[in-house]
Amino acid sequence: MAVATVAALLAALGGALWLATRRFAGARVQRLHGGGDGGLMQGKTVLITGANSGLGRATAAELLRLGARVIMGCRDRARAEEAAGELRRDLCPAGGSDAGGVGELVVRELDLASLRSVRAFCQEMLQEEPRLDVLINNAGIFQCPYTKTEDGFEMQFAVNHLGHFLLTNLLLGLLKSSAPSRIVVVSSKLYKYGDINFEDLNSEQSYSKSFCYSRSKLANILFTRELARRLEGTRVTVNALHPGIVRTNLGRHVHIPLLVRPLFNLVSWAFFKTPEEGAQTSIYLASSPEVEGVSGKYFGDCKEEELLPKAMDESVARKLWDVSEVMVGILK
């Protein structure tokens, strides 16, 4: 008992020291580009899904600083306009959309849970946008109760995989005509706990919200690898990433008991990444010259990482692609 007490006290002391460091020294975001690279993305158009909060918003802010024209594809237009206004004020306090070389910010409505919305969004993009240099498939939903979309698909698989699958396919022509261009897919380390069950992709036989999230993130990686194969020779690259554990509103469907919340909040504040820290790999893959021409890889903390064999299964990736085409209506 005495040993356990000492261990607990040491752990508490270590936690307190860590918290003090975070609180008073601050968790510095090591930006990938210094001030001299302020125009790195000048003249480039970037589409980010789910850019009104969390990782997407932090990614948008940094790419704007680098001079990109950023299109925010968001489900809730009012919230997106509010976020865009705040970003403009933060980045251009003196006013003017191009102050200090900061790029332009555009808001467009996109509901990835609706294939109709995805198609309408892409039609508008193709009519109004002459180029698309980077597509960042960032939006996601995490461990929600079992829900079906208007198209009849399980919500997590629909938003995290199918919506982005259709979006990417419909914008491929624009990406190819803008080449060299890039596609960035935000996945998760939790892909390790998922598998692709072709007999129950819609989770009608059984549903586990955590397992289905992992399945959708595994689907993201398989999609990335198959798309990379199909894009060989086009000068369009596609890579997947995991951002780490980040403090965002993605976990709004996760129930945390009332008595545990203060401790959870303290731990998350101390040990989870900020959105700015979590967004660094997305920013890196979208803008860094270091990954020019790199495709079909999986990254974490701006470095390539190895995948489990199930995420590299080419036969599963090709079958998932074929099934997805039918599900979203690309093939009848």
Side-chain angles (χ1 to χ4, degrees), residues 61-77:
E62 186 61 23
L63 292 177
L64 282 167
R65 289 188 186 97
L66 295 175
R69 179 173 186 268
V70 175
I71 300 171
M72 302 170 67
C74 303
R75 179 179 59 83
D76 190 323
R77 190 179 188 94

Side-chain angles (χ1 to χ4, degrees), residues 2-115:
V3 173
T5 301
V6 171
L9 288 171
L10 288 173
L13 178 59
L17 290 172
W18 175 263
L19 288 171
T21 302
R22 293 280 298 206
R23 176 65 181 84
F24 296 108
R28 293 181 60 202
V29 176
Q30 298 297 326
R31 285 209 174 95
L32 301 164
H33 309 286
D37 290 324
L40 182 65
M41 297 294 287
Q42 200 76 41
K44 295 185 182 295
T45 296
V46 180
L47 167 59
I48 307 174
T49 65
N52 61 289
S53 65
L55 288 173
R57 177 170 170 160
T59 303
E62 186 61 23
L63 292 177
L64 282 167
R65 289 188 186 97
L66 295 175
R69 179 173 186 268
V70 175
I71 300 171
M72 302 170 67
C74 303
R75 179 179 59 83
D76 190 323
R77 190 179 188 94
R79 289 179 57 196
E81 292 285 5
E82 181 182 356
E86 292 171 355
L87 281 172
R88 292 186 186 106
R89 287 191 294 273
D90 290 345
L91 297 172
C92 310
S97 62
D98 60 350
V102 172
E104 180 187 359
L105 192 57
V106 178
V107 173
R108 290 215 169 114
E109 188 173 333
L110 169 63
D111 183 359
L112 289 159
S114 165
L115 299 181

Side-chain angles (χ1 to χ4, degrees), residues 214-227:
S214 296
R215 169 189 285 171
S216 71
K217 294 291 103 177
L218 174 59
N220 288 159
I221 298 172
L222 291 166
F223 163 67
T224 297
R225 291 179 58 80
E226 175 62 13
L227 180 58

Side-chain angles (χ1 to χ4, degrees), residues 47-273:
L47 167 59
I48 307 174
T49 65
N52 61 289
S53 65
L55 288 173
R57 177 170 170 160
T59 303
E62 186 61 23
L63 292 177
L64 282 167
R65 289 188 186 97
L66 295 175
R69 179 173 186 268
V70 175
I71 300 171
M72 302 170 67
C74 303
R75 179 179 59 83
D76 190 323
R77 190 179 188 94
R79 289 179 57 196
E81 292 285 5
E82 181 182 356
E86 292 171 355
L87 281 172
R88 292 186 186 106
R89 287 191 294 273
D90 290 345
L91 297 172
C92 310
S97 62
D98 60 350
V102 172
E104 180 187 359
L105 192 57
V106 178
V107 173
R108 290 215 169 114
E109 188 173 333
L110 169 63
D111 183 359
L112 289 159
S114 165
L115 299 181
R116 173 181 49 81
S117 175
V118 174
R119 291 182 185 279
F121 173 87
C122 291
Q123 184 177 11
E124 183 181 8
M125 282 284 295
L126 295 176
Q127 288 175 347
E128 299 187 8
E129 297 297 332
R131 63 182 301 110
L132 179 60
D133 299 277
V134 183
L135 167 62
I136 303 180
N137 291 337
N138 166 82
I141 190 167
F142 179 72
Q143 295 194 12
C144 62
Y146 187 78
T147 314
K148 283 188 176 181
T149 67
E150 65 182 44
D151 303 293
F153 302 128
E154 187 274 313
M155 185 64 71
Q156 293 190 87
F157 192 73
V159 172
N160 298 352
H161 171 61
L162 291 175
H164 282 121
F165 178 88
L166 178 61
L167 177 76
T168 305
N169 272 280
L170 294 180
L171 295 178
L172 271 183
L174 186 57
L175 285 158
K176 288 177 181 178
S177 67
S178 307
S181 53
R182 305 181 184 189
I183 302 168
V184 178
V185 179
V186 179
S187 182
S188 167
K189 275 189 174 182
L190 294 177
Y191 86 86
K192 299 175 181 180
Y193 304 103
D195 63 40
I196 306 298
N197 178 7
F198 289 107
E199 303 303 316
D200 191 27
L201 280 180
N202 215 30
S203 302
E204 293 176 326
Q205 299 174 21
S206 64
Y207 180 72
S208 161
K209 59 185 182 181
S210 58
F211 168 80
C212 286
Y213 177 77
S214 296
R215 169 189 285 171
S216 71
K217 294 291 103 177
L218 174 59
N220 288 159
I221 298 172
L222 291 166
F223 163 67
T224 297
R225 291 179 58 80
E226 175 62 13
L227 180 58
R229 185 184 70 81
R230 292 170 179 254
L231 288 174
E232 287 179 1
T234 65
R235 296 197 303 153
V236 181
T237 62
V238 54
N239 292 289
L241 68 102
H242 74 82
I245 305 176
V246 185
R247 295 196 307 273
T248 70
N249 63 358
L250 189 65
R252 60 189 177 276
H253 294 293
V254 178
H255 174 69
I256 300 172
L258 187 61
L259 292 176
V260 180
R261 286 181 194 173
L263 178 60
F264 176 81
N265 291 336
L266 187 65
V267 170
S268 66
W269 181 78
F271 297 106
F272 291 8
K273 290 181 179 179

